[in-house]
Amino acid sequence: MSENENDEARIEATEARAATPEPEEGPAIPNELPILPLKDLVVFPLTVVPLAVGQDRSMRLVDDVVVGNRLVGLVAQHSAEIEQAMPGQTFEVGTAAIVHKLLKVPDGTLRLAVQGVERIRIVEWTQEQPYLKARIEVIPDEEEDSVEVQALFKNALNQFERLVALVPYLPDELVTTAINITEPRQLAYLIATSLRMSLEDRQAILEIDSVRGKLEKLTSFLAHELEVLELGKKIQSEVQEELQKNQREYFLREQLKAIQRELGEGDEQATEINEYRQKIEDAHMPEEAEVEAKRELDRLAKMPTQAAEYSVIKTYLDWITSLPWNTSTGQEIDIKRAQEILDEDHYDLEEVKARILEYLAVRKLRQDRGEDEEADTAMREPILCFVGPPGVGKTSLGQSIARALGRHFTRMSLGGMRDEAEIRGHRRTYIGAMPGRIIQAIKRAQANDPVFMLDEVDKIGADWRGDPSSALLEVLDPEQNRDFRDHYLDVPFNLRKVMFITTANLLDPIPPALKDRMEILRLPGYIEDEKLHIAKNHLIPKQLRAHSLSADDIVFSDDGLLTIIRDYTREAGVRNLEREIATVCRKVAKSVAEGQTEKTEITVDKVREFLGKPKFYSEIAEATDRPGVATGLTWTPVGGDIIFIEATKMPGKKQLTVTGQLGDVMKESAQAALSYVRSRAESLGIDPEFFEKTDVHIHVPAGAIPKDGPSAGVTIVTALTSLMLDRPVRSDLAMTGEITLRGRVLPVGGIREKVLAAHRAGLKTVILPKRNEVDLDELTPEVREDMHFILVENIDEALKAALPEPALAGKEV
């Protein structure tokens, strides 16, 4: 049994190989040999290896071998943990070796120098005591003299040379020994013995019969080792270069400091600290902010510039010193000039303009009388919320307010915002932290009193990252935003002078607490006459400038503009109208660029030529020319619109079917309407037995569009009554209102938008609940004069107005 000390044995073997010439041919190998198991070691033929022997069984084997023919069989154990390997616990293929030298050391163990002779395979174990013996057979390596073997030989030699140059534990003399070798077999065993390989890899090389196969496996192993070593050398080289660069920069920086001291100049860091100190003085920030800034500056002065936190503190000081703590841009207020600006930029919107002018008038009086606004908590900037459909000018109105006030205008879109840190910022403990978008916008404006527009406040989201709408509560509360604390700055910033304006399409999605902090101003949709004025005074001049056209190139007729408004747009605002005008301008610009010199007049025919077939049609008369169809009015996020309620009957058993993607409220309105008609069948002149044999189907066209709300009750009752009496509803009439089972007509919302929708559709008569009469004051005089309103308190009044004579029977409820 053999024990070996791996590293020491390998070094001694390497030195022996480097100093030992090509081994001499050994004696004949007998059929039976004593077997010496080795731990973690494989001895190859043609190599000289030192061994350490310490166990009694192994020492007795060596003593008998040395006095005999000096030949021994060396095989590797399967596991190094086995103290005395027995048959079956070693590999079958090993090496026959000659014991050249024997040395007894003072600790009682033996040191041997053995030289491998030839590969052997154990055929049968013949003895276990006092040591192992086995009958063996010699298995010489298969050698061939071919071009492929020579190529493998040279490639392995080149790789081995490169490896020796990279590996410190291999002496350079090995390269000389390898170069002097001419036989591929001997080179293969030299390389295999020299490299640090696992026991399995060494045994695999030993068991390969052909020299060619051994060289192929060694070449693959050498290539992998070279790749790993070269990559490691590259990494070490890069690290070393970086260290040298840092050391060089440090020495140069120290030399620069010494030179500056000799010249009487301060160092770069001291200069930077002084600059920040001056910036803090010039900022005139509040006491708490100034104390925090100076505390951070003291930390910066004591910190080496190479520290990671150095740049973090610098960035913080840059932010806190660049904020406009006491910089205001508001000019002296001129009420008449403000009125001119608002009228110049926007048509109509009289209520909103009046509210803004009232606010400006109060500010002007306070300035003229020298009252301290900051000391008076009652004086605060209003939080206006513009609510209206898209395209009515909410955002541009904020820009006009800023221009009228002489302030900077800044805008932030809240649509889709889900992270609370967007409002309050991130704490400085996070990598890449920065202030929230409120403070960022204040810095960009370089004033503490900009007009700040928060767009799409009704579209704020909320998830696990926080609720931005809750963070806005502090920003939009005049009692709290005086001490607004951004998480990054962590000092109060006064937002009281900022005029916040919010915009929304819908009021319902806004949280109640946030809604309570704002003054709601509704911007309704425009009627045709208003759109005509806006197009002529604002949209057309703007698009002429955008397309490099002049009044000599194009002129819009009123009929042409009205055609665009009626047949190519259907909206509460004017955004799509502007797009269609831009399309016409592009067509004319193309003609002018091609050489046309005549002025193009945009008539109805030209509109059809440039914009194609109409996108919208007025189908009211055709839609209500038969019984069972009534025209209703509905409110949508983009303004009012008209809908058709269709009812039809068929043989059945009093089943009601409702379609058109209706919400629960509208389905309940349909059920209530049918119940009311059935309960009043006799007084309405309907055969009571009709419902026992008939199914009723109520449908609202545009089935892909969701619809809901209680305001279609009157319309559904009218459509059902028209169906039962076989009399069509008036084609020039629309209606809205909620009903009860007693036949009462209840008020609904969105009257202005609904009436404008009816006006756009060419309807002249509208049935409204009596209690909505006060909402008619929101309409312009032109609309009120152009339309006829029938105010009803019960459904019988609505039916009498909607269905032509003969008059309905029965009494009013």
Side-chain angles (χ1 to χ4, degrees):
M1 181 96 182
S2 170
E3 297 177 347
N4 60 83
E5 302 170 4
N6 291 338
D7 291 340
E8 181 181 353
R10 187 177 289 107
I11 293 173
E12 293 178 1
T14 300
E15 294 174 349
R17 286 190 299 275
T20 304
E22 184 176 333
E24 299 175 0
E25 187 175 351
I29 301 174
N31 292 333
E32 187 179 28
L33 282 177
I35 303 299
L36 179 62
L38 304 178
K39 294 181 179 180
D40 287 333
L41 180 64
V42 175
V43 176
F44 294 101
L46 308 180
T47 59
V48 177
V49 179
L51 298 179
V53 178
Q55 292 189 1
D56 293 339
R57 186 180 72 169
S58 301
M59 294 174 65
R60 182 168 180 177
L61 182 149
V62 171
D63 291 339
D64 291 347
V65 166
V66 170
V67 298
N69 59 5
R70 306 179 74 90
L71 286 173
V72 63
L74 304 176
V75 293
Q77 298 180 186
H78 287 145
S79 173
E81 297 178 358
I82 301 173
E83 282 300 317
Q84 292 188 351
M86 301 302 289
Q89 295 179 330
T90 65
F91 291 99
E92 293 183 356
V93 177
T95 303
I98 300 176
V99 178
H100 277 300
K101 294 181 180 179
L102 174 64
L103 177 65
K104 293 185 179 181
V105 293
D107 61 0
T109 61
L110 301 177
R111 296 298 177 93
L112 309 177
V114 298
Q115 175 182 326
V117 178
E118 191 59 84
R119 294 192 310 148
I120 60 172
R121 177 181 288 110
I122 296 175
V123 176
E124 181 184 2
W125 294 95
T126 59
Q127 177 180 308
E128 295 184 6
Q129 295 297 334
Y131 48 79
L132 298 178
K133 267 190 177 184
R135 188 163 55 84
I136 56 94
E137 64 173 343
V138 179
I139 46 175
D141 293 314
E142 298 175 1
E143 299 185 72
E144 59 177 294
D145 188 9
S146 64
V147 176
E148 289 82 357
V149 172
Q150 291 299 320
L152 287 170
F153 174 82
K154 292 183 178 180
N155 186 51
L157 181 58
N158 291 334
Q159 288 180 319
F160 186 62
E161 291 179 16
R162 290 167 54 197
L163 188 69
V164 171
L166 293 173
V167 176
Y169 67 83
L170 293 179
D172 296 338
E173 290 80 0
L174 271 179
V175 176
T176 305
T177 303
I179 292 174
N180 292 328
I181 292 176
T182 59
E183 293 184 9
R185 174 171 175 255
Q186 186 174 355
L187 179 67
Y189 287 137
L190 174 66
I191 295 174
T193 306
S194 304
L195 298 181
R196 288 178 177 173
M197 303 170 68
S198 66
L199 177 67
E200 289 73 16
D201 288 338
R202 292 176 178 273
Q203 184 67 29
I205 291 175
L206 180 65
E207 292 181 1
I208 295 175
D209 293 332
S210 67
V211 175
R212 178 176 180 171
K214 298 178 191 294
L215 289 174
E216 288 176 348
K217 185 171 182 62
L218 284 171
T219 299
S220 175
F221 182 83
L222 286 170
H224 177 267
E225 289 295 308
L226 283 171
E227 184 177 358
V228 173
L229 290 170
E230 287 175 351
L231 180 59
K233 184 177 180 181
K234 179 182 177 182
I235 294 173
Q236 184 178 3
S237 176
E238 290 176 353
V239 172
Q240 187 67 27
E241 289 178 2
E242 186 66 26
L243 290 175
Q244 291 175 355
K245 179 183 177 181
N246 292 338
Q247 291 175 351
R248 183 167 60 255
E249 289 179 355
Y250 174 77
F251 287 129
L252 291 174
R253 202 173 288 113
E254 292 299 320
Q255 290 175 357
L256 180 60
K257 290 180 181 179
I259 293 172
Q260 289 175 338
R261 284 195 297 269
E262 291 295 327
L263 294 175
E265 301 176 356
D267 61 9
E268 182 180 349
Q269 184 178 5
T271 303
E272 196 171 49
I273 298 299
N274 292 332
E275 290 178 356
Y276 279 119
R277 201 176 303 279
Q278 187 61 44
K279 287 181 180 179
I280 294 174
E281 296 295 331
D282 296 341
H284 301 292
M285 58 186 70
E287 180 180 357
E288 183 178 347
E290 185 173 354
V291 170
E292 179 67 16
K294 289 182 177 180
R295 187 181 72 85
E296 292 296 320
L297 184 63
D298 292 340
R299 290 182 60 209
L300 189 72
K302 299 173 184 177
M303 190 176 296
T305 57
Q306 297 86 357
E309 198 176 356
Y310 189 87
S311 61
V312 175
I313 298 177
K314 274 187 61 178
T315 304
Y316 177 78
L317 291 174
D318 287 336
W319 272 103
I320 200 170
T321 57
S322 61
L323 289 175
W325 296 95
N326 287 289
T327 304
S328 301
T329 58
Q331 302 174 359
E332 184 177 351
I333 298 174
D334 186 340
I335 301 298
K336 291 184 178 180
R337 173 62 179 159
Q339 176 79 59
E340 293 173 359
I341 292 175
L342 292 175
D343 290 340
E344 177 185 340
D345 291 347
H346 292 83
Y347 180 79
D348 196 33
L349 304 178
E350 298 302 330
E351 180 184 351
V352 179
K353 294 177 184 177
R355 176 63 187 89
I356 294 168
L357 292 175
E358 291 168 2
Y359 160 72
L360 295 180
V362 174
R363 282 193 65 91
K364 179 175 176 59
L365 286 177
R366 298 182 72 90
Q367 290 177 359
D368 293 345
R369 296 175 181 178
E371 297 180 9
D372 187 2
E373 299 177 3
E374 190 64 26
D376 189 356
T377 57
M379 179 57 193
R380 60 194 189 190
E381 297 284 3
I383 310 297
L384 302 179
C385 179
F386 298 152
V387 179
V392 295
K394 299 185 294 295
T395 304
S396 59
L397 187 61
Q399 297 173 338
S400 299
I401 294 173
R403 194 155 71 95
L405 291 172
R407 300 192 189 181
H408 289 291
F409 176 79
T410 186
R411 173 184 171 275
M412 181 173 74
S413 177
L414 302 177
M417 182 181 293
R418 296 181 178 273
D419 192 351
E420 179 190 351
E422 294 279 344
I423 304 294
R424 293 182 178 274
H426 300 81
R427 300 191 184 279
R428 278 180 286 161
T429 52
Y430 295 102
I431 296 175
M434 60 190 306
R437 291 170 64 180
I438 300 289
I439 295 297
Q440 292 182 39
I442 296 292
K443 179 187 175 184
R444 285 194 301 270
Q446 281 302 299
N448 62 1
D449 61 345
V451 174
F452 201 128
M453 175 157 282
L454 300 171
D455 246 343
E456 312 293 354
V457 72
D458 58 330
K459 297 178 177 62
I460 300 178
D463 59 11
W464 57 270
R465 287 167 289 189
D467 184 1
S469 62
S470 299
L472 281 177
L473 295 178
E474 180 184 2
V475 175
L476 298 181
D477 191 339
E479 300 298 332
Q480 300 181 38
N481 63 11
R482 178 171 184 157
D483 295 324
F484 173 70
R485 283 182 180 268
D486 184 272
H487 287 158
Y488 180 83
L489 296 180
D490 201 26
V491 293
F493 188 90
N494 189 358
L495 297 178
R496 176 167 292 183
K497 292 185 177 182
V498 179
M499 183 176 183
F500 286 102
I501 299 175
T502 63
T503 70
N505 297 129
L506 302 174
L507 199 58
D508 294 341
I510 303 176
L514 187 59
K515 191 189 308 180
D516 183 62
R517 285 163 167 77
M518 301 183 293
E519 181 177 343
I520 307 300
L521 296 179
R522 297 184 181 274
L523 280 71
Y526 298 113
I527 61 175
E528 282 187 1
D529 186 60
E530 291 172 339
K531 289 183 179 181
L532 185 63
H533 281 83
I534 293 172
K536 293 169 66 174
N537 299 330
H538 299 278
L539 304 183
I540 292 176
K542 177 182 176 182
Q543 292 303 319
L544 291 182
R545 291 191 300 271
H547 294 85
S548 301
L549 296 174
S550 67
D552 296 332
D553 299 319
I554 182 175
V555 61
F556 284 82
S557 67
D558 288 354
D559 290 339
L561 283 174
L562 288 174
T563 301
I564 298 176
I565 294 170
R566 293 170 181 168
D567 297 346
Y568 294 90
T569 64
R570 182 162 292 178
E571 58 180 343
V574 292
R575 189 167 289 153
N576 287 324
L577 175 59
E578 184 175 7
R579 292 193 183 102
E580 300 298 338
I581 292 173
T583 301
V584 172
C585 289
R586 287 196 298 272
K587 303 288 187 182
V588 175
K590 179 176 179 292
S591 300
V592 173
E594 291 174 348
Q596 177 180 311
T597 57
E598 297 179 359
K599 179 187 294 186
T600 302
E601 183 179 3
I602 306 303
T603 61
V604 176
D605 293 336
K606 279 293 184 182
V607 170
R608 297 274 192 267
E609 177 185 342
F610 288 155
L611 300 182
K613 63 181 181 180
K615 299 178 181 177
F616 303 98
Y617 299 90
S618 180
E619 301 177 351
I620 304 304
E622 292 80 1
T624 58
D625 62 352
R626 63 184 63 190
V629 182
T631 304
L633 297 174
T634 183
W635 181 93
T636 70
V638 295
D641 202 356
I642 62 172
I643 60 172
F644 302 121
I645 306 294
E646 299 178 350
T648 188
K649 57 186 177 180
M650 63 206 78
K653 296 182 179 180
K654 58 183 180 182
Q655 181 180 357
L656 173 65
T657 304
V658 181
T659 57
Q661 197 162 333
L662 308 183
D664 292 338
V665 176
M666 201 165 179
K667 290 178 180 178
E668 291 175 358
S669 293
Q671 186 67 56
L674 180 60
S675 298
Y676 174 78
V677 173
R678 290 182 62 188
S679 67
R680 295 291 310 281
E682 184 176 354
S683 61
L684 293 175
I686 303 172
D687 182 6
E689 299 297 326
F690 171 84
F691 298 97
E692 298 298 329
K693 307 172 184 178
T694 307
D695 287 345
V696 178
H697 186 166
I698 298 175
H699 178 67
V700 183
I705 302 175
K707 312 167 192 71
D708 202 4
S711 61
V714 172
T715 313
I716 298 173
V717 170
T718 304
L720 289 173
T721 305
S722 170
L723 175 70
M724 308 305 177
L725 297 179
D726 198 26
R727 292 214 304 272
V729 181
R730 288 173 52 183
S731 62
D732 64 340
L733 177 143
M735 61 197 76
T736 185
E738 183 178 359
I739 65 165
T740 69
L741 290 177
R742 295 179 296 129
R744 305 296 296 178
V745 177
L746 302 181
V748 293
I751 294 298
R752 187 183 191 279
E753 289 79 4
K754 293 177 180 179
V755 170
L756 291 179
H759 186 271
R760 285 196 302 269
L763 299 172
K764 299 300 182 182
T765 305
V766 177
I767 297 177
L768 298 175
K770 177 69 175 177
R771 290 167 60 182
N772 281 121
E773 184 176 5
V774 294
D775 296 317
L776 297 179
D777 295 337
E778 299 179 2
L779 301 174
T780 62
E782 295 82 4
V783 174
R784 288 201 298 268
E785 293 174 2
D786 197 31
M787 301 190 70
H788 175 56
F789 300 102
I790 301 175
L791 303 175
V792 300
E793 292 183 336
N794 57 66
I795 193 62
D796 284 346
E797 296 175 1
L799 293 176
K800 289 177 182 178
L803 297 176
E805 293 295 334
L808 293 170
K811 298 180 180 180
E812 294 183 2
V813 177

